[in-house]
Amino acid sequence: MRHVGFTWHDGALLAQGLGVSLGLFAGTFLIGLVLGSGAAVVRHFRVPALGTLLHTGLELLRNSPVLVQLFLVFFGVPALLHQPLTPIFAAGLTLSANTAAFVYFIAVAGLDAVGRDQVEAARAFGLSRVQLVRHILGPQALAFAVAPLVGLAVNQLQVTSLVSVIGVVDLTKAGDILNLRTLRPFAVWTMVGMLYFAAAKTLTLLGNRWERRLRAHAAPLGL
């Protein structure tokens, strides 16, 4: 088989794959952020049974390979429920749950870093749990958690490359298609790697900028 040159269609394929990867990352990270933070709040207020159940489930997710989770959802769940799942839905469900597990432990550490004296003082002034989380726990926990969250975001962006194994045409799958067509693996995977690097670097810079702004805002308040 002879080598085939690159065309503008190949650039469009990589751009489409990059769009799928970024969209999947953004959606699943946002969902995971909400779910993980909510579970951390449940654990912080020691809700009976539910807190323990959430902690156990998220601990399992955090300490098992994402690829195994992906296969379990895409192949195992349909076999169990006799209901097929689309690749993109299975990928979204898996990555959202996996992200939630890591966000949960980051949020727990941030909430635990807030002094108990502040919590007791807020309760003495009659603040509800919602007000306590919104005005006392949330802002301070976020100041502690922002750096780990940025690191997690970069990692989860790279983890999206695994979804290609179940047929999602993300950036990695687009690279695989392009590699099979051109038989130029070094050039193809260099381009794919540089696109992942550019996306991760941009995310890191945005995260660091957000962290500096947050700390600058929190410093005068003593947070």
Side-chain angles (χ1 to χ4, degrees):
M1 184 179 293
R2 66 184 180 86
H3 294 270
V4 181
F6 293 103
T7 69
W8 71 270
H9 293 285
D10 300 326
L13 178 63
L14 290 176
Q16 181 182 3
L18 179 61
V20 171
S21 293
L22 293 178
L24 186 62
F25 158 73
T28 57
F29 192 82
L30 180 60
I31 294 172
L33 190 63
V34 172
L35 294 178
S37 300
V41 171
V42 170
R43 181 262 183 193
H44 186 79
F45 287 113
R46 296 180 174 85
V47 178
L50 181 59
T52 302
L53 182 63
L54 287 172
H55 181 88
T56 302
L58 294 171
E59 182 76 29
L60 288 172
L61 286 172
R62 186 181 68 157
N63 291 291
S64 59
V66 180
L67 191 57
V68 173
Q69 297 171 19
L70 194 62
F71 285 156
L72 182 62
V73 171
F74 186 63
F75 297 111
V77 171
L80 183 65
L81 302 180
H82 304 288
Q83 179 64 43
L85 300 178
T86 63
I88 194 68
F89 181 81
L93 182 61
T94 303
L95 294 182
S96 295
N98 183 261
T99 301
F102 284 94
V103 169
Y104 166 77
F105 287 97
I106 292 173
V108 165
L111 290 171
D112 288 346
V114 180
R116 299 297 301 178
D117 54 335
Q118 297 186 51
V119 176
E120 296 301 327
R123 287 174 174 170
F125 280 102
L127 268 68
S128 66
R129 287 186 171 181
V130 173
Q131 292 173 321
L132 178 60
V133 171
R134 181 179 177 183
H135 299 294
I136 306 297
L137 293 175
Q140 297 187 68
L142 181 59
F144 287 114
V146 62
L149 285 175
V150 171
L152 174 64
V154 172
N155 180 75
Q156 294 303 96
L157 173 62
Q158 297 166 355
V159 167
T160 60
S161 63
L162 296 175
V163 303
S164 62
V165 300
I166 62 170
V168 177
V169 187
D170 67 329
L171 180 55
T172 299
K173 189 66 174 180
D176 189 40
I177 295 171
L178 184 55
N179 177 55
L180 291 175
R181 193 186 72 81
T182 63
L183 296 179
R184 295 182 178 179
F186 185 82
V188 169
W189 294 115
T190 296
M191 286 189 291
V192 170
M194 291 303 295
L195 287 172
Y196 273 115
F197 173 80
K201 188 63 176 179
T202 301
L203 186 60
T204 300
L205 293 175
L206 291 175
N208 290 340
R209 182 179 179 183
W210 177 48
E211 181 182 4
R212 287 194 298 269
R213 292 183 62 180
L214 180 63
R215 293 192 181 279
H217 177 73
L221 301 178
L223 300 181

